[in-house]
Amino acid sequence: MEPLSRKTRLSYLIILMVTFVVLVPITLLYSSGYRLGDGLKLVKTGGIYIGLEESKADLYLDGKLSKGVGILKNGFFVQNLTPRVYYVVVKKEGYRSWEKIIEVLPQRVSESSAFIMPNVIPYAELVPTTSSYVTAVGLFATSTRTMVSPADYPEILATSTGGGKIEDVKRKGDVVLWREGESVYARWVNKESNAPSYFCDEMNACNREIIINKKPVRSFDFHPLSNELLLLVIDDVVVMTEIDPRVPRNEQSLFKAEGVMVRTGGNSIFIKEPVAGSVKIFEYKLQ
């Protein structure tokens, strides 16, 4: 085999040098989190964090199973995403799915908390002689309504834009709920740096009010295990919904019966159904 000519060797050297000059910056930019965005412009990547208590669920981005996604103890974390809008779905066999349209911004992690519920909710009807029944009766005997004025919660409600009478104030962790007229509102009341992104506006101020309902709510309360999920009674239906207002706002019906009531205690949701002059009480025990 004859050795390569000087001209050929020089050509190979030039090709290798050009390849090195082109690929090294691209590799460095890629490893630093840059991607090609709209108009072939270099943009810094962002990420998505989806909180989820259920195990063995799958995360889909724009209809594709997210391969290699970081499955954390309490959710999913996907990084190095090109900034744009993503259609996010969480699925698990035997459960109702959760979906959300989430915008990823450069150098930011956009977060949300997913909730998925069994297709068939495992209610247990409580027997009157059990301790759970006695506990539930005590909860239903206590009113959830509270009457306050904005002056009672100046740091929380004094700037409320609802314009109505403040009622039924409830607080769990750093989130406060209240009723004004037929509407229920939520607000973050701690350091803005710790607030979920959906409480923040375009100027990154994170104390905005979020309106929860579009229909009159008979009663409302926090989910027993989360301050980002709520239980509402609307038109004789117990509904679980989320504070996050980004579309679609996920809402799941739990129970329907005339005069139905709901209370929470420990890790359980108790539902009271009036039946022919008597009552039935059901427990939905959360994991």
Side-chain angles (χ1 to χ4, degrees):
M1 183 175 179
E2 296 183 3
L4 296 176
S5 67
R6 180 182 178 84
K7 183 178 181 180
T8 301
R9 292 199 303 271
L10 182 59
S11 297
Y12 284 165
L13 178 61
I14 293 173
I15 292 172
L16 289 174
M17 290 178 65
V18 170
T19 301
F20 179 82
V21 170
V22 172
L23 290 183
V24 167
I26 292 176
T27 302
L28 290 174
L29 287 170
Y30 189 91
S31 63
S32 298
Y34 284 91
R35 299 291 185 274
L36 287 177
D38 295 336
L40 299 179
K41 295 181 179 179
L42 282 174
V43 292
K44 191 74 172 177
T45 58
I48 290 177
Y49 172 73
I50 304 297
L52 180 68
E53 295 297 329
E54 293 286 342
S55 61
K56 299 181 180 179
D58 293 319
L59 180 72
Y60 292 81
L61 297 180
D62 294 338
K64 297 180 180 179
L65 181 64
S66 188
K67 299 290 186 181
V69 65
I71 304 177
L72 307 179
K73 180 180 179 181
N74 293 314
F76 302 92
F77 176 54
V78 190
Q79 56 186 343
N80 295 327
L81 293 175
T82 302
R84 61 179 178 85
V85 173
Y86 291 84
Y87 175 51
V88 182
V89 179
V90 176
K91 295 181 179 181
K92 181 179 178 179
E93 186 176 356
Y95 283 69
R96 310 172 197 180
S97 62
W98 176 93
E99 57 191 76
K100 185 72 66 177
I101 294 174
I102 296 178
E103 182 180 9
V104 171
L105 301 174
Q107 297 181 278
R108 294 278 298 274
V109 175
S110 300
E111 76 275 8
S112 188
S113 292
F115 71 99
I116 54 176
M117 298 171 52
N119 291 330
V120 179
I121 298 176
Y123 293 112
E125 183 177 351
L126 298 180
V127 177
T129 55
T130 62
S131 59
S132 294
Y133 186 91
V134 174
T135 297
V137 168
L139 292 171
F140 284 111
T142 304
S143 173
T144 63
R145 299 184 68 88
T146 59
M147 305 295 288
V148 301
S149 68
D152 294 321
Y153 288 82
E155 77 284 7
I156 299 170
L157 306 175
T159 59
S160 171
T161 58
K165 185 177 181 181
I166 306 299
E167 299 179 296
D168 298 354
V169 178
K170 306 177 192 297
R171 179 168 182 166
K172 187 169 187 175
D174 300 321
V175 179
V176 168
L177 304 176
W178 71 93
R179 184 201 301 270
E180 288 188 62
E182 294 183 341
S183 298
V184 175
Y185 294 84
R187 176 178 281 181
W188 180 264
V189 293
N190 207 328
K191 293 181 180 179
E192 294 188 5
S193 59
N194 297 330
S197 58
Y198 53 81
F199 274 107
C200 307
D201 59 23
E202 294 79 3
M203 303 301 293
N204 209 31
C206 302
N207 64 344
R208 72 186 183 101
E209 295 171 7
I210 296 177
I211 187 169
I212 303 299
N213 60 302
K214 295 182 179 179
K215 296 181 179 179
V217 173
R218 194 165 80 228
S219 67
F220 64 94
D221 206 346
F222 286 102
H223 185 281
L225 303 182
S226 172
N227 65 353
E228 297 186 86
L229 299 176
L230 310 178
L231 295 169
L232 314 175
V233 178
I234 304 175
D235 296 334
D236 289 324
V237 180
V238 178
V239 173
M240 186 183 296
T241 190
E242 58 192 352
I243 293 177
D244 188 345
R246 290 172 293 187
V247 294
R249 175 175 265 162
N250 291 267
E251 183 177 286
Q252 298 289 351
S253 297
L254 297 186
F255 201 95
K256 182 176 182 179
E258 186 175 353
V260 67
M261 298 174 67
V262 63
R263 295 288 189 274
T264 63
N267 64 341
S268 294
I269 298 172
F270 297 101
I271 294 174
K272 180 179 178 181
E273 177 188 10
V275 179
S278 182
V279 296
K280 291 183 178 181
I281 297 179
F282 300 87
E283 180 182 19
Y284 173 25
K285 186 168 290 188
L286 303 161
Q287 301 299 322

